[in-house]
């Protein structure tokens, strides 16, 4: 009788442990999904803000390039 009950109990415990593990992994992946969603929204905001300042950055970089070219002649 014990040779029938013991394996059934062990298998049941293993299945219960697997269920708990898979539930924990599911919760963890759900949190990661929410965090990635927030990151995507932040990247979209930054990208739209960067598009607005792009022409100004190009002008500043152009002026800086001109100054860098003139610097050796000033020394």
């Amino acid at each position: 009788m014990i040779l029938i009950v013991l394996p059934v109990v062990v298998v049941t415990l293993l299945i219960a442990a697997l269920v708990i593990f898979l539930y924990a992994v599911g919760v963890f992946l759900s949190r990661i999904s929410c965090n990635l969603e927030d990151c995507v929204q932040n990247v979209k905001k930054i990208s739209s803000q960067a598009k607005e300042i792009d022409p100004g950055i190009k002008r500043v970089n152009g002026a800086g390039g001109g100054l860098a070219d003139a610097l050796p002649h000033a020394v």
Side-chain angles (χ1 to χ4, degrees), residues 15-65:
I15 291 173
L18 182 61
V19 166
I20 292 169
F21 174 74
L22 290 176
Y23 177 76
V25 168
V27 169
F28 184 67
L29 289 175
S30 178
R31 282 190 209 154
I32 290 174
S33 172
C34 289
N35 289 340
L36 287 176
E37 236 176 87
D38 292 342
C39 288
V40 167
Q41 290 176 357
N42 289 337
V43 167
K44 286 180 181 178
K45 286 180 188 177
I46 291 170
S47 176
S48 67
Q49 292 170 355
K51 286 179 184 175
E52 295 175 9
I53 63 169
D54 188 39
I57 294 292
K58 288 181 180 176
R59 192 168 16 130
V60 168
N61 284 341

